[in-house]
Amino acid sequence: MLTLQSVNSFYGGSHILHDVNFSLETGKILSVLGRNGVGKSTLLKTLMGLTSSMTGSLTLNELELGDQTTFYRARSGMGYVPQGREIIPDFSVKENILMGRFADQTSKGEIPDIVPELFPYLMDNLDRAGGLLSGGQQQQLAIARAIATNPQVLLLDEPTEGIQPNIVEQIEDCILRLNKELNLTIILVEQNIRFAKRASDEFLILDNGRLVCQGSGNELTDDLANQYLTI
């Protein structure tokens, strides 16, 4: 479904990702792991076309996206929840969600049916400004906005970082539901090894912008975590 071949990514003259290769099948969850600053977020931004430039091949369902704009990639099936959420604080909850609909060519401008099931709080507060929500509620809003794009692949950049503990489990369960019930393919940048082990069909580990290890979820061992992920 999604294939990267010899992908290099750059911020200006800085070479961040080096010859990254992987393929991901439909309906799988891939966890992207590594220490801080090794290129995990850059990988997701590269997929969305948000770095200065990239070389190599990026295909989604055999459609080459490597030279396409961010908007075209969203229209082609890439949904993205960035680190820090980046909701529009002065927009209402409803307006933030419906922003995602601009990327869905089949949409009638309505909130997706699964959003009320996953996030009843948002539905009870549609007219509330997004900036008044707690961090965990804003994360739910950012996920709802990404779902509204009707994605084939959902990119999640540390979705439980800085979230109050009572909402972390809700977000983790939401991710698993999206995968199981919608057969949604997910790429998850995550520092929580426990959740990565629980959720992942596959994993890859980055170090200094290079892919140093990858495998199936059950191969993500404590030894690997100690080798590549501890400080």
Side-chain angles (χ1 to χ4, degrees):
M1 179 200 191
L2 178 69
T3 301
L4 278 69
Q5 294 181 323
S6 300
V7 166
N8 294 265
S9 191
F10 304 82
Y11 290 121
S14 298
H15 191 172
I16 309 299
L17 295 183
H18 300 262
D19 293 318
V20 174
N21 298 273
F22 70 84
S23 294
L24 186 61
E25 296 179 3
T26 300
K28 302 294 186 182
I29 298 179
L30 169 70
S31 286
V32 179
L33 307 168
R35 298 182 180 91
N36 289 333
V38 298
K40 304 186 301 298
S41 294
T42 298
L43 175 60
L44 299 194
K45 290 180 178 180
T46 301
L47 292 172
M48 288 304 303
L50 294 171
T51 60
S52 301
S53 62
M54 67 157 278
T55 61
S57 176
L58 162 61
T59 59
L60 177 62
N61 292 326
E62 300 182 357
L63 178 66
E64 177 60 52
L65 298 179
D67 58 352
Q68 297 294 338
T69 63
T70 297
F71 180 72
Y72 185 87
R73 297 182 196 206
R75 276 276 174 98
S76 300
M78 293 277 197
Y80 178 45
V81 179
Q83 190 176 30
R85 300 175 282 276
E86 296 184 14
I87 64 157
I88 308 300
D90 293 333
F91 280 19
S92 69
V93 167
K94 183 176 182 179
E95 289 168 335
N96 269 282
I97 296 172
L98 292 182
M99 283 179 60
R101 282 309 201 189
F102 287 101
D104 180 10
Q105 300 179 73
T106 67
S107 167
K108 297 180 180 179
E110 299 172 347
I111 294 174
D113 291 340
I114 196 169
V115 169
E117 298 179 30
L118 294 174
F119 307 122
Y121 176 86
L122 298 182
M123 299 306 295
D124 291 338
N125 292 272
L126 288 176
D127 295 326
R128 192 177 189 196
L132 298 178
L133 304 183
S134 71
Q137 292 159 354
Q138 288 185 13
Q139 187 65 281
Q140 293 176 343
L141 180 55
I143 294 172
R145 179 182 58 191
I147 294 169
T149 69
N150 192 24
Q152 299 179 55
V153 180
L154 181 61
L155 312 177
L156 298 166
D157 195 349
E158 299 201 25
T160 62
E161 181 186 33
I163 303 300
Q164 53 267 47
N166 63 312
I167 293 186
V168 167
E169 187 174 351
Q170 295 177 29
I171 291 175
E172 291 178 350
D173 290 343
C174 160
I175 292 168
L176 294 176
R177 283 190 64 184
L178 290 170
N179 173 248
K180 302 304 180 187
E181 296 180 20
L182 301 184
N183 199 36
L184 189 57
T185 307
I186 294 173
I187 299 181
L188 172 69
V189 168
E190 186 55 78
Q191 297 281 11
N192 185 335
I193 303 303
R194 175 195 59 79
F195 181 55
K197 287 181 177 181
R198 174 187 171 204
S200 303
D201 299 293
E202 302 176 25
F203 76 94
L204 62 83
I205 297 175
L206 294 174
D207 191 21
N208 292 322
R210 302 179 188 275
L211 200 165
V212 294
C213 186
Q214 61 188 128
S216 62
N218 58 17
E219 294 174 324
L220 181 55
T221 64
D222 291 338
D223 286 343
L224 281 176
N226 290 333
Q227 180 178 357
Y228 292 110
L229 307 178
T230 56
I231 297 175

